Amino acid sequence: AGRVRIDGVVAVTGSRVNPQMTVTVDDTELNMAEDRVVYALNKPAGYISSLSDEQGQGISCFIPDGMRLFPVGRLDKESEGLMLLTNDGELMNNLLNAAGGHEKEYYVTVDRKVTDIFLKALESGVKINNRATGEKVITAPCRTRRISDNTFSIILIQGLNRQIRRMCGALGYGVVRLRRMRIKNICLGDLNEG
């Protein structure tokens, strides 16, 4: 209808906009920086990270109607903790890129006593199957810290599917509880579930 203009030119389907361009709707300028949003969500266990879920178990139930947000990364259904939701695709891609070295910290409770040998094995890398290729891979080095007899912290920069559960399983440990506490410098803190 000619209502949207990019640098004074009427926009057409497929027009691309970069941050240096001026976008107007009905002669009102949009501030693109203000339109970007990032939310932290404390995902409870029992919900999947997907927004579209026919069984009603996706995280979309925590997002107000009409908000177009996408999850940054995933937590499996049994896991809980910090997830980021944004409408900024560039930020999402940057955070998901393992080459960026972005830390993610988890608290993990296991079904056996946490030993120094177990923690050192995790830190050195664990041989697991890459589910995408079927080949064996060794996980990237990570950092760990004992929290209690059965709980430890692990800091990863890698993000393979169900990586922590698979690493623990390869070393004979079962994961009882897995909670993401931090992504980069964004911490879960005391954020309520949901």
Side-chain angles (χ1 to χ4, degrees):
R3 297 175 55 209
V4 178
R5 294 180 179 269
I6 302 170
D7 286 343
V9 178
V10 174
V12 296
T13 301
S15 294
R16 294 188 178 264
V17 179
N18 66 48
Q20 294 77 33
M21 295 176 165
T22 301
V23 178
T24 58
V25 177
D26 296 330
D27 296 323
T28 301
E29 186 174 332
L30 301 180
N31 183 335
M32 300 305 282
E34 288 181 11
D35 292 337
R36 286 185 228 137
V37 295
V38 179
Y39 292 96
L41 170 69
N42 184 352
K43 183 189 97 61
Y47 291 86
I48 62 172
S49 297
S50 173
L51 294 175
S52 58
D53 174 45
E54 300 79 36
Q55 289 83 32
Q57 297 173 330
I59 59 171
S60 60
C61 65
F62 302 115
I63 301 171
D65 288 338
M67 292 185 78
R68 279 185 44 107
L69 299 173
F70 306 96
V72 178
R74 302 236 176 235
L75 285 173
D76 61 39
K77 187 174 180 177
E78 300 86 17
S79 298
E80 57 191 284
L82 181 63
M83 286 194 67
L84 299 180
L85 303 166
T86 185
N87 63 353
D88 185 343
E90 185 177 330
L91 171 68
M92 186 168 73
N93 290 334
N94 179 275
L95 287 174
L96 291 176
N97 185 350
H102 304 304
E103 292 184 346
K104 294 172 283 296
E105 182 173 7
Y106 302 81
Y107 284 8
V108 186
T109 302
V110 290
D111 59 358
R112 296 176 38 199
K113 184 174 181 169
V114 173
T115 65
D116 291 339
I117 294 170
F118 170 67
L119 294 179
K120 290 293 179 204
L122 290 172
E123 290 178 355
S124 299
V126 178
K127 189 181 281 190
I128 61 174
N129 281 333
N130 180 335
R131 291 191 170 176
T133 65
E135 298 175 8
K136 291 275 188 189
V137 295
I138 297 178
T139 58
C142 62
R143 295 193 326 260
T144 64
R145 175 177 54 88
R146 184 186 338 270
I147 295 173
S148 69
D149 281 349
N150 292 67
T151 303
F152 65 96
S153 162
I154 185 168
I155 299 173
L156 304 174
I157 58 169
Q158 198 172 28
L160 300 175
N161 184 272
R162 297 177 66 87
Q163 179 175 345
I164 296 170
R165 292 180 188 280
R166 292 167 54 212
M167 290 170 71
C168 290
L171 298 172
Y173 284 73
V175 173
V176 176
R177 184 177 188 201
L178 179 64
R179 189 169 194 216
R180 183 159 52 204
M181 303 302 293
R182 177 174 64 86
I183 300 172
K184 286 188 67 165
N185 62 340
I186 303 169
C187 297
L188 180 64
D190 59 1
L191 187 65
N192 291 331
E193 283 191 348

